Amino acid sequence: MNNINEISEIKGIKAETLVSLLNVHEDLFVKMKGIFSRNYSEDLLSVDNEIDRTTIALARDGIFHLLPQGLFFKENLLSGNKKSHFEFDKELRELKRQQKEALSFFQPFDTAFFKLTLEFEHLLNDFAKTGNNPLIDSFLDIPEKETTNKYLAKIIELLPFANQMRGNIPLLIDILKDIFSAAKIEVKKTEPLFSLFIIHIEGLKKEEYLNMDKEMKPCFDFICQWFLPVEHHYDYRIKDYKKPFKLEDSLILDYNTHL
């Protein structure tokens, strides 16, 4: 796309996504060039920022392209019907003039529709910045949503997808590895209805271990409430199994030291 004398590789990105990130004038005009060029070009063909307005060209079908051609032109208009005096070039110029007029007539409607989709794109951008909090506020009244706990805040973002994630232990393990920055997480079933989450995090000092264990508890309680089967009981432990046992090192019972 040629955007103010700059060439950008934007193939596969829809025009609304790109235009929402550009500094365009409120007076926006859209030209639909037809979907044929999509075979070799991107969705957004060009952006022309003038003094008082912005004009963009899209490789899309507008209203004119979607309506039957018979509404605008006579059938076999350029065939001449075997007339000896038929002037093809003249008729072609007239046909293009009529086409240009039809495109101009439908341009405000095409522009209005594009502005609607662009407005929706702006809403999506705002939603991406705020995360899932609007959904959480709309559907659930939970006191935890105002938390300052960094682990709990991350897992709350996934609450709208709880019905799809609940009971999916492998998926939950992958998510928790990212939330806790853990090298490894394993689940041990110590009793028929009891499982223990082992969260492997290496090299924590005593203060770091105690703070993390304290912050992890409300997060894990929330996980058990929303993402794990209700008939099961769960607990968690933070472990460092790789640290060799040396008396001169910092030893924390039940973290990197075991009797």
Side-chain angles (χ1 to χ4, degrees), residues 240-255:
D240 181 4
Y241 286 140
K242 289 191 175 182
K243 183 177 178 63
F245 183 84
K246 294 182 181 179
L247 290 176
E248 64 269 21
D249 291 341
S250 175
L251 302 177
I252 304 174
L253 190 63
D254 202 31
Y255 168 59

Side-chain angles (χ1 to χ4, degrees), residues 14-247:
K14 65 179 181 178
E16 287 86 349
T17 301
L18 296 168
V19 175
S20 69
L21 302 176
L22 297 175
N23 184 22
V24 298
H25 294 291
E26 185 175 345
D27 195 4
L28 177 67
F29 285 83
V30 178
K31 293 182 178 180
M32 300 296 189
K33 296 295 186 178
I35 203 170
F36 174 78
S37 57
R38 288 289 285 275
N39 294 322
Y40 55 85
S41 182
E42 56 267 12
D43 186 24
L44 182 60
L45 295 174
S46 65
V47 177
D48 185 11
N49 257 340
E50 301 175 12
I51 296 177
D52 56 348
R53 73 176 186 180
T54 299
T55 302
I56 65 173
L58 303 179
R60 298 183 186 177
D61 284 342
I63 297 176
F64 169 77
H65 302 92
L66 297 174
L67 292 174
Q69 292 186 1
L71 292 175
F72 309 99
F73 312 108
K74 296 179 180 179
E75 189 177 1
N76 300 322
L77 183 65
L78 295 177
S79 66
N81 295 320
K82 299 181 180 180
K83 295 179 181 180
S84 59
H85 63 279
F86 180 73
E87 298 181 33
F88 179 85
D89 291 342
K90 181 180 178 180
E91 294 293 334
L92 179 60
R93 287 194 297 270
E94 176 62 19
L95 183 63
K96 288 185 176 181
R97 186 192 66 79
Q98 294 177 18
Q99 182 187 38
K100 186 176 180 180
E101 287 184 351
L103 287 169
S104 297
F105 176 80
F106 288 113
Q107 184 179 12
F109 301 98
D110 293 334
T111 298
F113 180 75
F114 180 81
K115 285 182 177 179
L116 285 175
T117 60
L118 182 60
E119 184 178 350
F120 180 68
E121 188 69 27
H122 283 300
L123 292 175
L124 290 178
N125 291 344
D126 293 339
F127 182 77
K129 293 176 183 177
T130 58
N132 291 328
N133 289 329
L135 283 176
I136 296 171
D137 293 341
S138 300
F139 296 112
L140 296 167
D141 183 18
I142 55 173
E144 295 93 344
K145 66 185 177 185
E146 305 298 335
T147 183
T148 57
N149 185 313
K150 60 181 180 180
Y151 303 127
L152 184 55
K154 289 181 180 180
I155 197 66
I156 286 176
E157 291 289 321
L158 300 175
L159 195 53
F161 312 104
N163 65 319
Q164 299 167 320
M165 295 171 53
R166 188 175 292 113
N168 190 336
I169 303 299
L171 175 60
L172 190 60
I173 286 176
D174 287 338
I175 292 172
L176 294 181
K177 283 173 63 178
D178 181 66
I179 291 176
F180 299 137
S181 299
K184 178 183 176 183
I185 293 181
E186 58 181 319
V187 181
K188 294 183 177 180
K189 183 176 281 190
T190 57
E191 297 177 15
L193 292 178
F194 183 86
S195 295
L196 181 65
F197 281 72
I198 308 295
I199 303 165
H200 296 266
I201 300 177
E202 302 172 21
L204 292 177
K205 297 180 181 179
K206 180 180 179 181
E207 193 68 25
E208 294 173 332
Y209 167 75
L210 293 176
N211 288 337
M212 187 172 191
D213 186 66
K214 182 179 178 181
E215 285 196 325
M216 199 176 285
K217 187 181 187 309
C219 177
F220 204 84
D221 290 343
F222 189 85
I223 291 169
C224 292
Q225 179 183 359
W226 292 99
F227 297 97
L228 293 172
V230 67
E231 71 276 3
H232 226 66
H233 296 280
Y234 304 89
D235 204 351
Y236 72 96
R237 294 289 185 273
I238 306 172
K239 301 290 185 180
D240 181 4
Y241 286 140
K242 289 191 175 182
K243 183 177 178 63
F245 183 84
K246 294 182 181 179
L247 290 176

